[in-house]
Amino acid sequence: MNRQKFCNKDPVFKEVNLLILKILTVILVITLLFTYIFGVLRVKDERMIPNINPNDTIFFYRLDRKYLVGETVVYNYNGKNHLARIIATGGDEVDIDESGLTVNSSRQYEPKIHKETFPIKEGITYPLKLKEDEFFVLADNREITEDSRLFGGIKKGQIKGKAFILIRKNGI
């Protein structure tokens, strides 16, 4: 029997080929989604404790370019992706001293932060006026982190996306 005729008429062969085609299509769609639209970041440090813990997974959305104060974003600094909260946006003036964090001469109330915000000795000088395309970001664990207090505002282009799903290491 001719192999080509057998392959074309065999229903199992057709179904297997169709299944393989479907699997490859799903893999391609997922790859495209997580390359251009969504991103995944596995948290490896304690910079966002107590709100986000080590080994938690963050999904972030890459296409939204309107970032607001209080939102958690993934940004790139020194070739690594980091997670932090936006504290101030372009045009704002940030000041951090012994009394804490002020933005535009207004002391900031941060209910999700459990420790005081102080400047880093090796960091930038205050007050800092942000340029229009800059953001001032701080991690939630203010005692053991590198954030805008060390390197200043980050450019909009350094932001990879906005966090929208948090998956806890231990479930909920």
Side-chain angles (χ1 to χ4, degrees), residues 112-125:
K112 294 181 179 184
I113 308 304
H114 301 288
K115 297 178 181 171
E116 290 296 320
T117 304
F118 296 113
I120 297 175
K121 291 179 185 176
E122 311 83 35
I124 62 171
T125 57

Side-chain angles (χ1 to χ4, degrees), residues 81-94:
N81 286 336
H82 301 279
L83 195 61
R85 195 172 305 279
I86 294 176
I87 302 301
T89 61
D92 289 341
E93 184 176 89
V94 178

Side-chain angles (χ1 to χ4, degrees), residues 63-136:
L63 300 181
D64 191 352
R65 291 296 181 194
K66 295 178 183 175
Y67 305 112
L68 303 174
V69 170
E71 291 180 328
T72 303
V73 295
V74 175
Y75 68 95
N76 188 284
Y77 178 71
N78 281 344
K80 292 183 179 179
N81 286 336
H82 301 279
L83 195 61
R85 195 172 305 279
I86 294 176
I87 302 301
T89 61
D92 289 341
E93 184 176 89
V94 178
D95 194 8
I96 300 176
D97 57 21
E98 296 77 32
S99 65
L101 171 67
T102 59
V103 177
N104 298 328
S105 301
S106 177
R107 177 110 162 97
Q108 297 301 295
Y109 171 69
E110 299 177 289
K112 294 181 179 184
I113 308 304
H114 301 288
K115 297 178 181 171
E116 290 296 320
T117 304
F118 296 113
I120 297 175
K121 291 179 185 176
E122 311 83 35
I124 62 171
T125 57
Y126 298 97
L128 173 68
K129 178 82 168 175
L130 296 172
K131 297 177 185 164
E132 285 304 314
D133 66 336
E134 287 184 327
F135 296 87
F136 195 87

Side-chain angles (χ1 to χ4, degrees), residues 8-69:
N8 288 338
K9 292 183 180 181
D10 184 20
V12 173
F13 181 77
K14 285 182 180 180
E15 290 300 318
V16 168
N17 279 342
L18 187 59
L19 178 63
I20 291 171
L21 181 62
K22 287 178 182 179
I23 290 171
L24 291 174
T25 302
V26 168
I27 290 171
L28 177 66
V29 168
I30 289 172
T31 301
L32 290 173
L33 280 174
F34 282 94
T35 300
Y36 298 107
I37 299 174
F38 302 107
V40 179
L41 176 69
R42 181 77 177 243
V43 178
K44 296 178 182 168
D45 53 42
E46 298 179 345
R47 294 177 184 191
M48 293 298 285
I49 286 178
N51 300 306
I52 300 172
N53 298 313
N55 296 318
D56 287 350
T57 302
I58 297 289
F59 286 83
F60 59 95
Y61 182 59
R62 298 177 190 267
L63 300 181
D64 191 352
R65 291 296 181 194
K66 295 178 183 175
Y67 305 112
L68 303 174
V69 170

